[in-house]
Amino acid sequence: MSVEVSTDASRLDVERIHRWLSEDAYWSLGRTLEVVARSIEHSLNFGAYDDRGELVGYARVVTDHATFAWLCDVYVDPSSRGAGVGTALLDAVSARLAGLRLSRTLLATADAHALYTRYGFAPLAQPERFMVRGTPEH
């Protein structure tokens, strides 16, 4: 399968993304459509499309475009897993963020460490310096 990645938010199928995140993604189960739509509106979005133009993967980045980014909501449709969609998304995210020359990009994952390690992510060197406010969703 060939994969095209686009940052054009107008191409995104928000209802599909909502379904993926609210029904299947362990980190966002139950997230409302309104919250998904608002998060898309205020983020840098990456949609992965198959050769028919169908959305098969998604990732978003929350960033100030100067010093910091948070990579989140990376999701590949189950029917497209193993076909390079995740790699295509991360290639596009990495290329876009490289141009910003950010000091730090963070993410949280419970199950995809091998993928993210290939893109330079590593465990926090000094986790005692990081804190969180709020209750983790999962």
Side-chain angles (χ1 to χ4, degrees):
M1 163 189 352
S2 67
V3 179
E4 173 202 1
V5 177
S6 171
T7 57
D8 181 354
S10 70
R11 292 182 64 188
L12 295 172
D13 181 340
V14 177
E15 290 182 4
R16 174 176 277 189
I17 294 167
H18 170 252
R19 191 169 47 256
W20 287 340
L21 296 178
S22 68
E23 296 177 9
D24 191 44
Y26 67 84
W27 64 89
S28 57
L29 294 173
R31 192 177 288 174
T32 67
L33 177 59
E34 187 273 331
V35 167
V36 170
R38 193 165 24 123
S39 69
I40 289 170
E41 180 182 351
H42 296 285
S43 299
L44 174 57
N45 300 279
F46 296 81
Y49 301 88
D50 66 14
D51 23 9
R52 296 170 295 148
E54 183 175 338
L55 183 69
V56 293
Y58 174 72
R60 74 183 178 93
V61 175
V62 180
T63 183
D64 62 6
H65 295 268
T67 63
F68 177 80
W70 173 268
L71 173 61
C72 52
D73 291 341
V74 179
Y75 187 90
V76 175
D77 187 272
S79 67
S80 297
R81 292 180 185 162
V85 175
T87 298
L89 280 168
L90 269 288
D91 285 348
V93 168
S94 294
R96 180 67 181 266
L97 295 184
L100 298 178
R101 298 180 16 219
L102 305 172
S103 303
R104 179 171 292 130
T105 301
L106 294 178
L107 68 85
T109 186
D111 60 357
H113 296 81
L115 172 66
Y116 295 114
T117 298
R118 293 192 323 240
Y119 290 90
F121 288 92
L124 294 173
Q126 297 174 311
E128 68 278 4
R129 289 188 177 196
F130 290 81
M131 299 177 73
V132 64
R133 179 176 165 183
T135 305
E137 294 179 37
H138 299 276

